[in-house]
Amino acid sequence: MNNSFHEIGDVIFKSENILLYPHLNMDGDAMGSAVALCIALRNLGKNCYILIEDKVADNLAFMDKGYCTSEQNIIENPDLSVSMDCGDMGRFPNRKEKFVQAPTTICIDHHRTTAEFCQYNYIDPKAAATGEIVFKLLKAMGIEITREIGEALFAAITTDTGNFQYSNTTKETHAIVAELYDAGINASQVSVNIYENNRIERLLITNRILSTLTTECNGKVAICYVTRQMLKETGALMEETEGVVQQLRAIAGVEVAVFLKEKDDTTIKVSMRSKSYVDVAAIAAELGGGGHIRAAGATINSPMAQALDTIKAHIIESLEK
Ligand code: 5GP
Ligand code: MN
């Protein structure tokens, strides 16, 4: 059950020392929504930081003006923890203990698979991005959307909607973004920072990954993978494989795109995207993962060759249902 923005706002107004917890492998929405809330709370005079446990991606770093830290004791006794764009404490594994140390917890998220683990919740699977929810929360709290907050929210929304192309994009998404323009955002500049900031290694690894392409079910399923060896040979980072799965989905006739990332010998992270009718969140859930209908993921604990077989079997079964 969701709380109202007013209830959540009250809890925030009453707190002084606040830590925000975006999920691991921060994407534009996790980062943008956390940065927007962090700026807003600092503007209210709160002591607020975004606690992270991995590096901020290069194309998102432009938003971090001293908000993100991995120093857990930056606030020794927080009175509030806020999980952002994250519906599962397993997605901030090294910050769990710190998270529950605060006497009050809030979850602000839009994942359909979110199981409540906080005292206060605003979970809206219809929201295209957590950034949309943060926008509405700030408005309900009477907080001014400054240009900086607006640009972080724009970053959140443009990335989670595939730059307004995915089916999660609604009239409200555009209405919110229209209001961000009123705050003076430079959407084009934010887009250049996010989308036109690639290293050449990204192209090299993409080239290698695309050479692993196979299809199943008469071309309805496209599958690619990346191994640590491929990263080593191209000098690319795992985060530079982001976006490959969307390219697979863009192939004519493909309904389900699958991308497997080798984390270690027996840990394979699966990313799935569907185009118009397959519920990939349900397939991910069968494997202990989750996500959205058109974008979901899971972790398979087996070597790459076996993981490929496992995911193929699950998808074929789901398409035959
Ligand atoms: P991606 O493929 O970009 O890693 O993830 C796509 C979507 O699926 C994201 O919204 C993400 O939150 C969700 N997702 C990915 N991996 C997992 C997972 O292991 N567990 C859960 N619950 N959700 C995941
Ligand atoms: Mn999101």
Side-chain angles (χ1 to χ4, degrees):
M1 260 287 285
N2 277 341
N3 296 95
S4 67
F5 285 133
H6 286 282
E7 283 171 309
I8 290 176
D10 271 352
V11 171
I12 292 174
F13 281 128
K14 285 190 192 123
S15 308
E16 285 308 321
N17 298 296
I18 304 169
L19 287 174
L20 309 180
Y21 292 72
H23 60 73
L24 202 65
N25 302 319
M26 260 201 296
D27 58 14
D29 186 30
M31 175 82 178
S33 55
V35 167
L37 187 57
C38 189
I39 298 170
L41 298 189
R42 286 190 184 183
N43 288 348
L44 287 176
K46 310 290 183 193
N47 180 26
C48 182
Y49 284 90
I50 302 167
L51 192 61
I52 59 174
E53 61 187 86
D54 49 4
K55 202 181 141 283
V56 177
D58 286 345
N59 69 331
L60 302 176
F62 74 97
M63 282 184 266
D64 184 16
K65 299 186 181 131
Y67 310 120
C68 296
T69 179
S70 45
E71 174 49 55
Q72 301 214 350
N73 277 330
I74 192 94
I75 298 179
E76 279 199 40
N77 295 302
D79 20 67
L80 177 63
S81 293
V82 187
S83 174
M84 308 214 50
D85 195 40
C86 179
D88 173 357
M89 287 211 276
R91 299 196 77 208
F92 43 80
N94 297 328
R95 290 165 286 164
K96 257 194 239 176
E97 281 175 27
K98 186 75 183 180
F99 186 86
V100 298
Q101 189 193 313
T104 310
T105 54
I106 298 176
C107 176
I108 301 174
D109 189 27
H110 68 137
H111 293 98
R112 202 164 63 108
T113 40
T114 300
E116 284 181 18
F117 64 97
C118 292
Q119 288 154 324
Y120 295 86
N121 295 280
Y122 200 97
I123 298 155
D124 179 6
K126 290 209 177 73
T130 298
E132 289 189 4
I133 305 173
V134 170
F135 174 85
K136 291 198 242 177
L137 172 65
L138 297 183
K139 295 264 286 192
M141 292 173 73
I143 293 174
E144 188 200 351
I145 310 283
T146 62
R147 173 181 169 156
E148 223 187 345
I149 293 174
E151 290 186 342
L153 292 177
F154 181 80
I157 296 169
T158 175
T159 51
D160 254 26
T161 58
N163 206 17
F164 308 99
Q165 286 186 27
Y166 300 160
S167 61
N168 59 1
T169 309
T170 62
K171 176 178 170 180
E172 190 174 30
T173 308
H174 288 283
I176 289 171
V177 170
E179 283 200 50
L180 300 182
Y181 275 85
D182 291 337
I185 63 162
N186 187 339
S188 156
Q189 188 57 53
V190 173
S191 300
V192 168
N193 280 324
I194 293 178
Y195 300 116
E196 298 182 6
N197 213 351
N198 297 331
R199 297 193 314 147
I200 211 153
E201 286 79 359
R202 180 186 284 263
L203 270 77
L204 298 177
I205 192 65
T206 302
N207 183 35
R208 286 291 303 275
I209 292 167
L210 294 180
S211 72
T212 70
L213 175 65
T214 55
T215 61
E216 298 287 334
C217 300
N218 297 318
K220 281 205 205 81
V221 183
I223 305 173
C224 278
Y225 63 85
V226 65
T227 61
R228 288 168 302 162
Q229 182 65 24
M230 286 158 70
L231 292 174
K232 208 166 146 195
E233 285 169 15
T234 53
L237 303 168
M238 189 60 97
E239 71 205 46
E240 288 174 310
T241 66
E242 177 83 39
V244 165
V245 70
Q246 283 87 336
Q247 279 180 269
L248 299 181
R249 179 170 62 178
I251 300 167
V254 166
E255 170 59 23
V256 182
V258 188
F259 180 50
L260 290 85
K261 294 185 265 194
E262 183 193 58
K263 297 275 165 161
D264 62 47
D265 283 343
T266 56
T267 310
I268 310 295
K269 179 82 204 165
V270 185
S271 275
M272 287 183 284
R273 299 290 183 273
S274 63
K275 195 177 267 168
S276 57
Y277 59 90
V278 171
D279 181 353
V280 286
I283 300 172
E286 290 171 13
L287 297 162
H292 313 275
I293 295 183
R294 303 279 173 258
T299 298
I300 299 179
N301 293 109
S302 64
M304 181 61 82
Q306 249 173 284
L308 280 161
D309 289 343
T310 304
I311 192 68
K312 277 180 203 170
H314 279 265
I315 290 170
I316 291 167
E317 195 200 336
S318 154
L319 280 173
E320 282 170 354
K321 257 184 218 159

